[in-house]
Structures are given as C-alpha cells and as structure tokens.
Amino acid sequence: MPVYSMTGYANVVASPPNGEADSSSARPSSISVEMRAVNGRFLDLSMRIPEELRSLEPLVRDLVSAQCRRGKIEVRINTQRESEAAWPQPQTEVLQRLAGLEATVRAALPQAQALSVHEALQWCRTGSQAAGELDGVALGAVKSCLTGLMEARAREGDKLVAILLERVQRLQELATEAEPLIPAVIQRQQQRFLERWNEALTAASAQANVTQQALQERALNEAAAFAIRIDVAEELSRLRAHLDEVKRLLAKGGELGKRLDFLIQELHREANTLGSKSAALELTNVSVEMKVAIEQMREQVQNIE
C-alpha cells in the first residue's frame, strides 16, 4: 500500500452535456471542484457547495471520508455560466404555480412577505434545470478530483518515505559508530581506577584503621557501578529495533502516521539515555547527531496520514 501525505491539491472542471440543454435556462456551463489538504491530527472536512448542489453534501462527505483518514481537507464546488447576467425566461405555467403557492401561504400567514422578482427568477432557474443530470456531472467531478488528490498525496508520501529512510540509515550508521567507543571508554576508566587504587594503597600505609581489603572492595564497587552506568548496549539494541520497525512500516504503507509518531518518541528517548550515560565526548557527539536526525524525522512524520 502507498504511504499518503496529508498535504495535497487537486482541481477538476467538468461541463454538463449540451444535448438537452435549454439556452434560455442559463444553466451552468461548467462545474469546478477544488480540494486542498493539509496535515491535522484528525479528519477535519469543510465544504463550500452552491445551493443548487447542496443535496450532494452528504455523499461528498462520505466519498472523502472513505479515502482520507486524517488531515484538514477543504472541498470547494463552484458553478460557472456563460453569462452571469443571462437570466432564465420565466415560463407561464411556472409563474402561475408560484402565484398559487404564494396565495396559499399568504392565506395561512397574512404577515408573510410577497415574492420579489429576484426570488421568482431564482425559482424559475432552479425549476428549469435538469437537477439529476447536473448532480451526476458534479458527482463525477468530485470523484475525479478526489482521485487526483489521492494521487498528489501519494506522490508527496513517496518523497517523505525517501527522506525518512535516509534518516534511518543515518541513525543506523551512528549506532554502529557508538559501539566500538564503549570498550575504549571502559578501558580508560579502568586505567583511572588503577591509578586511584595505587594512590589509595599509598595513603593506606599511613592509616592503620583502613585495611587493604576494604580499599579493594571500594574500588571494585566503584568500577562495577561505573560499568553499569555507561553500558548503552541495551539502548543501542532498542534503537536498532525501533529503526527496523520504522522500515517495516514504511514498506508496508497504509495509515501509519500515529505509529511512526510513537516510534519517533521512543527513538528520542533512547538517544537521550545514550547522551546521559555518555562518559566520553565522542559518545556525546553521537547522541547529539542522533537527536538531530530524529527531530528531522519527526518533522516529516507530522505530514504522514
């Protein structure tokens, strides 16, 4: 499955067939559908649809929701006419029907206002259009635009995957660099312990109340505590396991943004622990480089669905 970015844009313009069109109806000459998508924690769908196509809103919402799981998506549907000044020619039967309906309403509600010329023309325009045919054209344009949006999000997702895999490789290289540094650090510290041991033996000769065995036990305890404190083998193993899981998810595709976000938090935690246990400048530098790469991954993961 592809990896989708939450960022994308698509635009489609469709024209109704003219076979059954009435030139006096001023029906729309084209219908444009525009979709914009940006990142968001949940699916936030907003729509702007003209009144003549308002009945399509639930269906459009269902179509978008079936394809998109997260992100802020804006859907705009507009109608264009050959001439916005071209008004329909009112038919006598339509006007008579409006007059009858107005009389019925005002008989029951004397305070109701009379229909204006503009309102009457709007009713004539609505009644003169083949509503079902127009809805079908608009719905087809919505589907085509949604397909274009998903293709744009997939292309953006491919770029994000390439960036993330590059950062994963960099983190794996840094983990490999960190491993041989640990024995060298331990060896240097052991040398320091030997120096302290010799100093303690020299000082013990002047203190009768301090035995050689007590000094040896103290030195061994200090060495053991230090070895435990600087042991980062477990952190490096977990970091590699998290990186392998990131690669597996990216290869699988689908809806994985939240899972990747969780793994990024775990990677950051391991890098922090590595830095806190660092007993050498080399390990500190590796930890800093890891944090930079992980933060770059976090920025990209925020855009993945």
Side-chain angles (χ1 to χ4, degrees), residues 25-28 52-53 81 124-134:
S25 65
R27 62 179 301 178
E52 55 195 325
L53 299 173
R81 292 175 171 80
C124 290
R125 170 179 292 179
T126 303
S128 63
Q129 295 175 352
E133 180 184 351
L134 191 61

Side-chain angles (χ1 to χ4, degrees), residues 72-91:
K72 184 177 181 180
I73 302 175
E74 181 181 4
V75 179
R76 292 187 179 185
I77 303 178
N78 295 311
T79 57
Q80 292 83 30
R81 292 175 171 80
E82 294 294 343
S83 174
E84 291 296 337
W87 290 92
Q89 297 296 324
Q91 303 297 320

Side-chain angles (χ1 to χ4, degrees), residues 10 54 76-77 189 198 233 255 272 278 299:
R54 183 63 63 182
R76 292 187 179 185
I77 303 178
Q189 191 63 22
N198 292 329
E255 185 182 352
N272 276 334
S278 174
E299 294 176 358

Side-chain angles (χ1 to χ4, degrees), residues 16-181:
N18 297 322
E20 300 178 1
D22 183 359
S23 61
S24 65
S25 65
R27 62 179 301 178
S29 59
S30 63
I31 298 174
S32 65
V33 180
E34 183 181 29
M35 294 186 182
R36 302 173 182 266
V38 295
N39 60 336
R41 294 184 60 188
F42 307 101
L43 180 60
D44 182 7
L45 180 59
S46 62
M47 292 186 289
R48 297 184 180 181
I49 301 178
E51 289 298 327
E52 55 195 325
L53 299 173
R54 183 63 63 182
S55 61
L56 294 178
E57 181 172 344
L59 187 55
V60 173
R61 187 177 298 275
D62 291 341
L63 288 173
V64 177
S65 301
Q67 295 290 329
C68 305
R69 299 293 185 270
R70 298 173 61 199
K72 184 177 181 180
I73 302 175
E74 181 181 4
V75 179
R76 292 187 179 185
I77 303 178
N78 295 311
T79 57
Q80 292 83 30
R81 292 175 171 80
E82 294 294 343
S83 174
E84 291 296 337
W87 290 92
Q89 297 296 324
Q91 303 297 320
T92 303
E93 55 272 17
V94 175
L95 292 177
Q96 290 176 350
R97 188 179 307 167
L98 284 175
L101 291 173
E102 181 186 16
T104 302
V105 172
R106 299 194 68 184
L109 302 173
Q111 302 300 324
Q113 296 182 356
L115 282 173
S116 65
V117 174
H118 175 75
E119 292 170 339
L121 288 174
Q122 289 290 350
W123 279 105
C124 290
R125 170 179 292 179
T126 303
S128 63
Q129 295 175 352
E133 180 184 351
L134 191 61
D135 288 353
V137 173
L139 189 58
V142 168
K143 292 179 179 179
S144 298
C145 190
L146 182 58
T147 300
L149 177 67
M150 298 307 294
E151 291 175 351
R153 298 177 81 187
R155 289 193 299 270
E156 183 70 18
D158 291 340
K159 297 178 182 178
L160 295 178
V161 169
I163 295 174
L164 289 174
L165 290 177
E166 180 183 350
R167 299 299 183 271
V168 167
Q169 181 178 358
R170 176 56 180 160
L171 286 170
Q172 290 174 332
E173 293 173 353
L174 290 171
T176 302
E177 292 178 10
E179 279 185 331
L181 296 175

